[in-house]
Amino acid sequence: MIHPVAGLPSGHGAAPETAPEAPSPVRVMVAASVRLVRDGLAHTLGTATEVVAVTADGCATLREIARLEPDLLLLDVSMDGALGLVQQMPRAAPGTRVVAFAVDDAHDDQLLAWAEAGVVGWVGRDASADDVVQAVLRAARGELLCSARTAALLSARLALLARQGRVAAPPGHAGQLTPREAEVGELLARGCSNKHIARVLGLQLATVKNHVHSILEKLEVRSRGEAGALLRGTHAGV
């Protein structure tokens, strides 16, 4: 234990200690058509995040997302127009990730449709309050929290797309993507961070960064957002 020297004010002659800055809280929006659901989700997330808005329909959600640009949207998939909303988000707020809430993972085609639209996390119908919070926080860090069945389905889908060569540079752009770049490009087009891509593909973060740089050069674009838009356009045309 350190005591002050007699006759001197406590701390005299020493540089004042400054507390490290606390990390900024994750800024979250909640969208659900049922008031009880959205208010309950907002209350649950309020203990670990900053809930910046709560909305009840697709139009209001898209408008508030473009205005507030939150880190993450927790979206009730039963809301009318929810899938179309996610498909429009890359233009409205390309930096906002989406976690789908109340997903029924028994329907493979629905899960794949949400994944292709850009969802980066899934919370099932029987999820607990802690599951919701963890899914949001992990998605904000570029991690994925979903059921083992969903993870297996997404992995199989990614492998199939890579084999079919569905992710290729659009006509008129320099070069073609290698099979590994195609895998990285598929995840990049979904809005995944480099850390998330590295985790899914089992690569080093530096390797993923190199692949992303190569993809930008081959597509002749300057940003991940532009590359993602081109790659999503390629998918739509297949």
Side-chain angles (χ1 to χ4, degrees):
M1 182 174 184
I2 300 175
H3 298 277
V5 177
L8 292 176
S10 176
H12 180 77
E17 294 185 1
T18 57
E21 290 187 11
S24 300
V26 178
R27 300 173 67 252
V28 180
M29 270 185 59
V30 176
S33 55
V34 178
R35 181 175 181 178
L36 183 63
V37 173
R38 62 178 180 266
D39 287 353
L41 291 172
H43 177 74
T44 295
L45 290 170
T47 61
T49 70
E50 178 187 353
V51 179
V52 297
V54 177
T55 53
D57 62 75
C59 290
T61 301
L62 197 61
R63 181 179 64 249
E64 290 302 289
I65 284 174
R67 183 176 71 88
L68 297 170
E69 296 185 351
D71 300 312
L72 192 136
L73 170 68
L74 179 62
L75 176 65
D76 185 345
V77 299
S78 66
M79 189 176 78
D80 288 343
L83 183 59
L85 165 66
V86 178
Q87 292 169 336
Q88 296 179 66
M89 281 186 54
R91 293 188 295 274
T96 300
R97 296 185 173 96
V98 182
V99 170
F101 175 76
V103 173
D104 183 356
D105 65 1
H107 298 89
D108 292 359
D109 55 341
Q110 293 181 16
L111 282 172
L112 291 173
W114 284 105
E116 290 174 354
V119 167
V120 299
W122 287 261
V123 182
R125 295 176 181 272
D126 59 347
S128 66
D130 185 62
D131 291 335
V132 173
V133 172
Q134 289 302 313
V136 166
L137 294 179
R138 289 192 180 189
R141 295 195 299 263
E143 301 173 359
L144 175 66
L145 182 64
C146 63
S147 69
R149 184 178 183 281
T150 299
L153 177 66
L154 296 177
S155 179
R157 179 65 165 180
L158 183 61
L160 176 62
L161 291 177
R163 287 195 300 270
Q164 292 177 340
R166 292 189 62 181
V167 183
H173 290 269
Q176 293 289 320
L177 304 186
T178 67
R180 178 60 83 184
E181 288 169 351
E183 293 175 334
V184 172
E186 167 69 11
L187 293 172
L188 186 152
R190 296 182 187 180
C192 298
S193 68
N194 286 348
K195 288 183 179 180
H196 188 184
I197 295 172
R199 182 184 181 90
V200 171
L201 299 181
L203 300 174
Q204 294 294 321
L205 181 58
T207 302
V208 172
K209 290 180 179 179
N210 289 337
H211 285 313
V212 170
H213 180 73
S214 177
I215 290 170
L216 297 185
E217 286 191 337
K218 289 183 177 181
L219 298 184
E220 299 178 353
V221 296
R222 292 183 294 179
S223 70
R224 295 169 62 92
E226 289 178 294
L230 282 174
L231 292 169
R232 284 190 294 272
T234 301
H235 294 167
V238 175

